[in-house]
Amino acid sequence: PSLAVQHFFILFEILRSLYADVDLDVRSGAELLDKKLKEVIVGAINSGSFSADACVPVFARFVYMRNKATKQLTLTWLKEFSEKLIGAPILQFLHLFLGGIFAMVADPNAAIRQLALEFLQSVLPKLLVNNEDFEDGQQMKVDFDKILQSLVLTMEHPDPFVRKVAMYWMSRIVQAHMSSAFPSSSELSHGGRGDGHDTSMEADSRGSVSISSDGRGGRAMSHSTTAASVSVRNALPHVLPGILLSIGDTHQPRAKDTFLPDQTTHFLAEQANTCLQDAVRRDGQAFIPHLGGFIVALREELDSPGGLIARNPPSLERRPYRMDVKADGSGIESTGWYRASDGVEERDNALILSRLCALQWVVVLYEHVVPDSLKERYASEFIDCIIYQLVDQPPGIIIVKSFEVLAKISNPAEGEKSYSILSAKSFVVENTASPDAPN
């Protein structure tokens, strides 16, 4: 065993070659070697004679390879480490290969898809628990910021099933750590969440809550937060673009989907959005340092004609390649999802939902996060872009919501100077009535 640990990387390269051999007997022998090597390495890591830091980052390179056997072998090792290593040290490196694992959920090979889903399901519960492992920097540090960034990038994947799994991850992480850090008044009175949602997270017995007047006619609650909840809260400006991308995703589950067959990406995004907005309403002062990130995300949605969704064309499922092949022999592609240039109606529906969500966020931040001294400056960030979007003559529901938001944020607090929007309104009306008017 000591020699196997010492020469692990050489042995794994040999095993990787044997695992892809065309001979059935060679592959059978490789499976026996693989099983024994896993026992030796897992035992060495748990005993302290070998470090997960030395081998887990190596697997991150193999996750992104195109070779089917290599991906399958790497997934089995990652799943073994996730289930059997003491202290779950694999979480520290999760952000290095999480995007590759989600890409495997859409792999044409059924075995790889199943292994990828099993690995994701085995890792997620470990991220939902608030315990000392997250707080002891000497043992392990889970970077939720990079994990959530990887999830947002995955939400642009053309396969709707991959997007749904990624949104499920984000929804569970946000609900677990935001609900524990900012419990509602009903949760405080009943000693629990009270929503019937089954999670593997337990309440922090060391947490303390105090309620006092916040000067706004409500109550301010202070909580003892864990390192995990702080890390997730710091990553929330990255979560908002993911919510805006996914809340307009109304693709219906396929009959062959065994994971969350009765839920859509839109439903999961609404869950995460509701949880995040509730946390902001309950303790808005805690989110003041992240106000700049929220503004950037909302401006990116409101400034561009199609919002965040317009960055990618709608996705369509490719037919079997024998139907795609052309007379000249080109066009042979594997089955799966890809980005198409049509589907305008689908994009319009997604745009409405995403734009409504962004407009609602503008008001939530204005009322619960922005200090009174910055409200005028905050309003100036959004008044122009909200008005200019009306030039494109959006649907009526967007127009009504836009004017509701303008009425809210253009109402100055006591002692503040009013921010005039009449000139901007007249500009919009004139240009809408006369498209050829000079600039």
Side-chain angles (χ1 to χ4, degrees):
S2 60
L3 288 177
V5 172
Q6 182 180 354
H7 302 288
F8 166 71
F9 299 105
I10 298 176
L11 290 174
F12 189 81
E13 285 292 342
I14 296 173
L15 176 62
R16 199 163 64 87
S17 301
L18 297 176
Y19 211 80
D21 198 279
V22 295
D23 188 273
L24 181 60
D25 293 334
V26 174
R27 290 204 303 273
S28 298
E31 291 175 359
L32 294 176
L33 174 62
D34 176 46
K35 182 179 179 180
K36 185 62 180 177
L37 189 59
K38 285 176 181 173
E39 294 177 359
V40 172
I41 297 302
V42 169
I45 294 176
N46 287 335
S47 64
S49 58
F50 194 49
S51 173
D53 302 8
C55 56
V56 173
V58 176
F59 294 141
R61 178 170 66 92
F62 297 134
V63 163
Y64 295 96
M65 288 188 173
R66 297 178 64 97
N67 184 274
K68 180 179 68 174
T70 297
K71 291 194 292 186
Q72 191 168 346
L73 177 64
T74 304
L75 279 172
T76 61
W77 274 82
L78 291 174
K79 187 170 181 290
E80 188 86 1
F81 279 15
S82 172
E83 295 175 349
K84 297 185 178 179
L85 289 185
I86 299 175
I90 193 175
L91 300 182
Q92 184 177 356
F93 308 98
L94 186 60
H95 63 278
L96 297 177
F97 51 82
L98 188 60
I101 300 294
F102 273 102
M104 291 185 194
V105 175
D107 196 275
N109 185 274
I112 293 178
R113 291 199 303 270
Q114 184 63 31
L115 282 172
L117 274 176
E118 290 176 358
F119 171 78
L120 293 173
Q121 291 177 4
S122 68
V123 169
L124 180 59
K126 297 178 175 62
L127 294 173
L128 305 181
V129 180
N130 278 319
N131 55 31
E132 289 78 6
D133 289 337
F134 289 102
E135 302 177 13
D136 189 351
Q138 296 179 352
Q139 293 184 10
M140 178 178 62
K141 181 180 178 181
V142 180
D143 197 334
F144 282 100
D145 191 6
K146 293 181 179 178
I147 290 176
L148 291 171
Q149 286 186 55
S150 297
L151 294 178
V152 173
L153 293 176
T154 304
M155 289 171 190
E156 300 188 45
H157 196 281
D159 193 322
F161 182 69
V162 176
R163 300 197 300 265
K164 182 169 75 169
V165 178
M167 191 63 243
Y168 175 75
W169 264 57
M170 178 175 287
S171 177
R172 292 295 303 276
I173 291 174
V174 169
Q175 290 183 72
H177 296 294
M178 288 294 95
S179 296
S180 65
F182 307 98
S184 64
S185 56
S186 61
E187 291 166 1
L188 294 174
S189 60
H190 292 88
R193 294 184 56 171
D195 59 358
H197 188 68
D198 183 21
T199 67
S200 59
M201 183 193 67
E202 297 180 358
D204 185 4
S205 60
R206 298 170 300 167
S208 61
V209 181
S210 61
I211 304 179
S212 61
S213 175
D214 64 354
R216 297 184 181 179
R219 296 185 298 177
M221 294 177 285
S222 60
H223 320 280
S224 61
T225 56
T226 63
S229 62
V230 172
S231 180
V232 172
R233 186 183 66 196
N234 292 340
L236 290 182
H238 301 297
V239 173
L240 187 54
I243 291 176
L244 295 175
L245 278 169
S246 301
I247 205 163
D249 192 341
T250 56
H251 188 275
Q252 297 300 315
R254 296 166 292 189
K256 62 181 180 181
D257 292 343
T258 57
F259 181 77
L260 300 177
D262 301 327
Q263 296 183 2
T264 63
T265 306
H266 168 74
F267 174 77
L268 296 170
E270 280 194 329
Q271 278 188 335
N273 186 57
T274 301
C275 178
L276 182 53
Q277 287 189 354
D278 288 344
V280 170
R281 291 188 179 101
R282 288 193 292 267
D283 198 350
Q285 292 183 352
F287 297 89
I288 292 178
H290 313 296
L291 187 58
F294 283 118
I295 292 176
V296 170
L298 294 175
R299 285 293 300 263
E300 189 176 1
E301 168 67 30
L302 296 173
D303 278 340
S304 55
L308 293 171
I309 296 177
R311 294 189 306 195
N312 301 301
S315 60
L316 296 175
E317 189 170 16
R318 192 187 303 278
R319 297 173 296 177
Y321 71 91
R322 293 184 182 276
M323 298 173 65
D324 285 343
V325 65
K326 300 178 182 178
D328 59 358
S330 62
I332 299 179
E333 300 285 352
S334 61
T335 58
W337 288 80
Y338 68 102
R339 294 292 180 181
S341 58
D342 53 0
V344 176
E345 181 179 358
E346 174 189 350
R347 183 186 298 180
D348 289 344
N349 292 335
L351 170 61
I352 293 174
L353 294 172
S354 300
R355 190 57 53 88
L356 288 174
C357 180
L359 291 170
Q360 182 185 23
W361 265 103
V362 172
V363 175
V364 170
L365 295 175
Y366 180 83
E367 293 180 339
H368 301 281
V369 179
V370 182
D372 291 340
S373 59
L374 297 178
K375 285 188 181 294
E376 182 181 359
R377 183 176 177 182
Y378 175 83
S380 66
E381 291 283 345
F382 291 104
I383 287 180
D384 289 341
C385 64
I386 291 176
I387 292 178
Y388 288 145
Q389 69 165 343
L390 302 179
V391 176
D392 297 327
Q393 298 181 351
I397 187 173
I398 299 293
I399 297 176
V400 173
K401 185 65 176 179
S402 297
F403 281 109
E404 289 178 358
V405 174
L406 289 173
K408 175 66 67 174
I409 66 176
S410 61
N411 183 24
E414 184 177 356
E416 289 184 353
K417 182 177 64 176
S418 176
Y419 186 87
S420 176
I421 62 172
L422 294 178
S423 59
K425 283 184 178 179
S426 61
F427 172 81
V428 173
V429 172
E430 291 174 0
N431 281 273
T432 303
S434 304
D436 298 328
N439 294 329

